[in-house]
Amino acid sequence: MKKLLIFIVALLSAFGAQAQWKGKEFVLDPDPLVQQKLKDWSDLKLGFFVHWGAYSVDGMCESWPIVSEDVDWLTPHKNLKEFRKYYFDLPKKFNPVKFNPEQWADLAEDMGAKYFVFTTKHHDGFTMWDSQLTDYKITNPAYPCSKLPKADVTKYLFDAMRKKGMMIGAYISKPDWHHPYYWSPSFESAGRNVNYKVERHPDWWGKFTDFWLGQIDELMSNYGKVDILWLDGAWANKDNQGQDMRMDEVANICRSKQPGIMIVDRWVGGKYENYRTPEQWIPSESQDKIYWESNMTVNCCFSYRFEDSPETNVKSGRELIHKFVDVVAKGGNLLLNLGASPQGWFNPEEVKSVKNMGQWLHKNGQAIYATRAIAPYAESNIRYTRSKDGQKVYAIALLAENEHPSKVMLPGCLASKNAKLFDVATGKRLSFSRQGNATLVNVPRKKGTDNYAIAIEINGIEKMAGKSYGKSQHAKDAENRNL
């Protein structure tokens, strides 16, 4: 019953996210540095996302339990005022003594991730860096976490991930439910939004947004090269109760300190949503004309859950690979989330799944990294990608557990008579036959994580999706907006 409820919640969230996806026009940023950064980012394909904060102490949902909204996926506590006090005091118990940023970076590398996004501050306002603008932070001397050798976790994580050659993303929430000029103590909170009328109290709103801009400046000035500013809390925007987050000023700070940085004002649309971020779902059709990234969880939720939690529902390495390949075939990236524990590590089953995923990627990554989408994208259990120069096409057969085919049919993909086909994982040449507008490939038997999917390299295509695929078509595909 619990898993059914989780599924229903995920379904409802997906429907809401899809409405956001379809309702806004994608605007490509005119800044050439941003455009180049987007192209580079789209080569990376897999990102490592981590939600971590004091909420991990109790293994609870991040931030949302303190909201006074009776929504489908969250029911407020009966005594919300008392619970909020308890929640905001969680940093007094937060002491991640096992935190090791180099170990996190090793895990990111093992799973095959090429960029990293960290929740520097969620909606609850607890700041995971040494901000000079608030005491509600991980380095506050009143909290035990401040005594850690590497208490400024944002700094040390960013440094460790950069040493692995990763792009760096700073997630930060636009609303801040701990700040007295977002949720003013003069009024009860009415929900996720600011709890007063901005037009009546412009001085309050000005103080809050000054604080907001100051924290953005800290992240952009003091934490090395940052490639992505990943903003959450879409309801905080000037069209909703006048919550003007001064995005032009945000962009000026970011671009002056971090030229070319991608700004992701998610679900708001316009010039500061440099790429789209569907949450916990994958588009049913290809979206290869825009930049986008599905952000998904390995477990049921974004924040940490204890191993014996009834909510625990860890995706297997096979399931992760299948979702990832589907995303890439449709033109997107995958930002894969793990919730960190109160000690500073991760659920062992989740670690096992992402490492198994990485084992497959380390052998078959040629069919994934730095590729682009190509029609027919997805047919039955087959997903297609192509090299950026259009010279190679990759077909990836997604295999069920205990499925060991000796032949794989590639519908919509007709290899030329003199084509050369290879098993990507081993480099061994594969024999094939042509069947109408499809190709039948003889494939080797796979074992272990190799059996998640079979990636096939095709050098020489006659038709894709019924379309002739000569040299001119190779060139056209390579020029496909260079996405």
Side-chain angles (χ1 to χ4, degrees), residues 458-478:
I458 307 168
N459 295 270
I461 293 291
E462 186 172 313
K463 290 183 180 180
M464 288 294 291
K467 179 175 63 177
S468 294
Y469 207 79
K471 289 184 178 180
S472 60
Q473 189 59 46
H474 281 301
K476 288 179 182 177
D477 280 345

Side-chain angles (χ1 to χ4, degrees), residues 21 283-292 330-332 373 377 483:
W21 170 277
S284 59
E285 299 177 353
S286 168
Q287 304 290 334
D288 62 333
K289 299 298 188 294
I290 67 172
Y291 293 101
W292 63 278
K330 292 171 180 173
Y377 313 107
L483 292 183

Side-chain angles (χ1 to χ4, degrees), residues 203-416:
D203 53 332
W204 291 1
W205 186 253
K207 289 177 180 178
F208 170 68
T209 53
D210 284 347
F211 164 78
W212 151 252
L213 291 173
Q215 287 207 313
I216 293 292
D217 187 78
E218 286 183 332
L219 286 172
M220 296 299 107
S221 302
N222 305 329
Y223 289 85
K225 184 180 180 184
V226 179
D227 304 282
I228 306 163
L229 180 67
W230 210 93
L231 303 178
D232 203 5
W235 59 89
N237 70 81
K238 62 183 178 181
D239 296 327
N240 180 28
Q241 301 182 36
Q243 297 181 79
D244 185 353
M245 299 302 296
R246 298 160 66 178
M247 284 303 301
D248 286 343
E249 293 175 68
V250 169
N252 287 338
I253 292 170
C254 291
R255 300 271 162 81
S256 64
K257 303 289 179 70
Q258 304 283 347
I261 188 173
M262 297 175 288
I263 300 173
V264 187
D265 193 8
R266 58 192 309 248
W267 296 1
V268 175
K271 60 183 178 179
Y272 298 129
E273 190 177 26
N274 291 166
Y275 62 79
R276 292 284 167 83
T277 58
E279 184 170 312
Q280 296 283 43
W281 65 281
I282 301 170
S284 59
E285 299 177 353
S286 168
Q287 304 290 334
D288 62 333
K289 299 298 188 294
I290 67 172
Y291 293 101
W292 63 278
E293 160 198 86
S294 280
N295 64 99
M296 305 187 76
T297 57
V298 177
N299 206 332
C300 61
C301 316
F302 283 97
S303 56
Y304 178 78
R305 293 296 187 272
F306 292 102
E307 293 176 67
D308 59 354
S309 168
E311 293 180 302
T312 299
N313 187 21
V314 179
K315 298 175 183 67
S316 68
R318 183 185 302 272
E319 186 177 358
L320 293 176
I321 279 294
H322 288 195
K323 289 181 180 297
F324 181 33
V325 171
D326 192 38
V327 166
V328 172
K330 292 171 180 173
N333 284 16
L334 176 64
L335 183 60
L336 191 60
N337 180 86
L338 292 175
S341 76
Q343 291 77 35
W345 189 233
F346 304 96
N347 183 313
E349 284 299 310
E350 295 179 57
V351 171
K352 178 182 176 181
S353 288
V354 298
K355 284 189 173 182
N356 286 346
M357 176 188 186
Q359 288 173 14
W360 186 91
L361 281 170
H362 288 313
K363 291 184 179 180
N364 295 278
Q366 179 183 331
I368 300 295
Y369 301 117
T371 62
R372 297 295 181 264
I374 182 171
Y377 313 107
E379 291 284 349
S380 184
N381 70 322
I382 308 298
R383 301 294 182 268
Y384 295 104
T385 63
R386 65 170 175 85
S387 59
K388 285 196 294 184
D389 63 8
Q391 297 304 304
K392 296 177 181 178
V393 169
Y394 300 97
I396 305 166
L398 308 179
L399 303 181
E401 192 171 0
N402 298 319
E403 182 181 4
H404 299 280
S406 59
K407 298 177 184 294
V408 169
M409 181 68 77
L410 307 181
C413 172
L414 181 62
S416 59

Side-chain angles (χ1 to χ4, degrees), residues 35-67:
Q35 291 190 21
Q36 184 59 55
K37 183 67 69 71
L38 282 163
K39 292 174 186 176
D40 295 341
W41 168 83
S42 67
D43 284 347
L44 304 182
K45 302 304 180 189
L46 182 62
F48 181 27
F49 197 15
V50 177
H51 276 62
W52 196 32
Y55 47 79
S56 69
V57 167
D58 283 357
M60 70 171 70
C61 178
E62 67 286 351
S63 300
W64 289 101
I66 61 176
V67 174

